Amino acid sequence: MNRCTRTIASTSFLLPFCTTVFFLLGSLTSAAQTSTQPAAPRVLLPFTATYEAKFSGFAVKAERTLSGNPQSWRLDFSAHSMFAKIEEYSRFAQEGLRLIPQHYDYQKSGLGRDRHTALSFEDDGKRVVNIYNKSRSIEKAPANIQDKISYQMQLAIDVANGKQPLKYLVADGKKIREYEFEVAGKETVKTPMGEIETIKVQRIRDEGAQRVTNIWFAPEWNYALVKLMQREENGKSYQITLTKLLIDGKEISNKK
């Protein structure tokens, strides 16, 4: 398998935080508020985000889009190189600040072994059916379970609303993985779209772990993910940077 292909396949675009690069994460906006009422919940808006990614010296283009409505949102992710292609999507409903997964689909093709995974979330997520391998289904899933990319949107919503702690249970085949994050502070980030003030979030790992994951969300851009950096235990680092963003059909820019 080509080295670039191995890099894309093995990291699945910066697993686990992006089952492939995401990390894109969402586009959020706040409803109107009055002086006598608390802030209204932040809600999702359709968006299209384009990212430039670097993996071990190779350039990869990625795109993430959110479409639909609170009854049935669809988050699509695609990443392409000369040697491989990854496409995945999640369908989920929204109840207030909670996202409820409905279906997850992941496909990888190109050099090496092709892969196709599909999960159906039934009974309000209490049962997760592995469509192509029923033996790997989860019969009694914990409350608030997410799929590999719906949890990324849930993270963006929770950061926007100041929720703590930032812990997520994610269905991964028959396994249930727990991801935990913390807000590290504010930071100005330079992007091809201009400088932007961000909130930096980092993955919490076991003490002594060498792997590091940092994510930067932009409140002024409705908490869109503008940058993600991951350093592996072997010292290699991977980074994605937002290059273009449309929220509700309107192009966003901070350039003067």
Side-chain angles (χ1 to χ4, degrees):
M1 185 187 299
N2 179 281
R3 182 161 65 95
C4 178
T5 306
R6 286 201 305 270
T7 300
I8 296 174
S10 63
T11 62
S12 194
F13 251 69
L14 303 187
L15 273 169
F17 191 84
C18 181
T19 297
T20 2
V21 71
F22 344 139
F23 257 164
L24 75 245
L25 283 163
S27 217
L28 309 168
T29 187
S30 58
Q33 48 185 290
T34 69
S35 59
T36 59
Q37 294 180 333
R42 296 183 182 275
V43 297
L44 301 178
L45 283 176
F47 71 87
T48 298
T50 303
Y51 294 87
E52 181 179 66
K54 292 182 179 180
F55 296 92
S56 297
F58 290 96
V60 179
K61 295 293 184 181
E63 184 175 273
R64 192 176 187 85
T65 62
L66 179 69
S67 58
N69 56 62
Q71 286 70 48
S72 184
W73 289 109
R74 174 164 169 152
L75 178 65
D76 283 86
F77 169 83
S78 63
H80 301 262
S81 75
M82 294 176 60
F83 311 101
K85 177 174 70 174
I86 291 175
E87 294 183 341
E88 64 182 334
Y89 72 85
S90 171
R91 291 202 313 268
F92 50 87
Q94 180 182 357
E95 292 184 358
L97 301 181
R98 179 193 174 203
L99 302 183
I100 305 171
Q102 298 170 329
H103 184 87
Y104 170 78
D105 191 280
Y106 172 91
Q107 294 187 60
K108 180 186 76 70
S109 59
L111 296 178
R113 180 184 176 186
D114 289 354
R115 180 183 171 192
H116 190 187
T117 300
L119 302 177
S120 178
F121 292 75
E122 302 178 357
D123 300 327
D124 196 28
K126 296 181 178 66
R127 184 168 181 258
V128 183
V129 177
N130 192 311
I131 294 175
Y132 297 116
N133 188 347
K134 295 295 194 299
S135 66
R136 295 183 60 78
S137 297
I138 302 172
E139 295 298 331
K140 295 182 180 179
N144 298 326
I145 195 167
Q146 297 289 332
D147 65 47
K148 288 186 176 181
I149 55 176
S150 68
Y151 92 91
Q152 300 162 10
M153 298 299 302
Q154 186 69 67
L155 173 62
I157 290 174
D158 293 346
V159 170
N161 286 276
K163 181 181 176 181
Q164 294 290 341
L166 302 171
K167 292 184 178 181
Y168 307 93
L169 297 176
V170 178
D172 184 5
K174 194 174 180 62
K175 297 180 180 179
I176 300 174
R177 303 188 185 278
E178 181 176 283
Y179 303 154
E180 183 174 3
F181 302 85
E182 64 180 359
V183 174
K186 297 181 179 180
E187 188 172 315
T188 301
V189 173
K190 292 183 178 180
T191 78
M193 300 165 56
E195 290 189 352
I196 184 71
E197 292 296 321
T198 68
I199 295 177
K200 183 179 178 180
V201 178
Q202 60 189 22
R203 173 88 182 272
I204 298 177
R205 300 185 184 276
D206 294 337
E207 185 176 354
Q210 298 299 309
R211 199 177 191 190
V212 177
T213 301
N214 294 325
I215 309 139
W216 289 261
F217 295 104
E220 293 181 32
W221 294 346
N222 298 323
Y223 287 85
L225 183 145
V226 299
K227 181 180 176 182
L228 178 143
M229 185 281 294
Q230 182 161 299
R231 185 175 69 243
E232 301 291 346
E233 294 179 353
N234 60 10
K236 291 184 177 180
S237 63
Y238 310 96
Q239 181 174 303
I240 64 168
T241 303
L242 184 67
T243 59
K244 186 176 181 180
L245 176 65
L246 285 83
I247 299 176
D248 216 13
K250 299 178 181 179
E251 186 167 356
I252 306 300
S253 177
N254 234 27
K255 291 183 176 180
K256 304 298 183 180

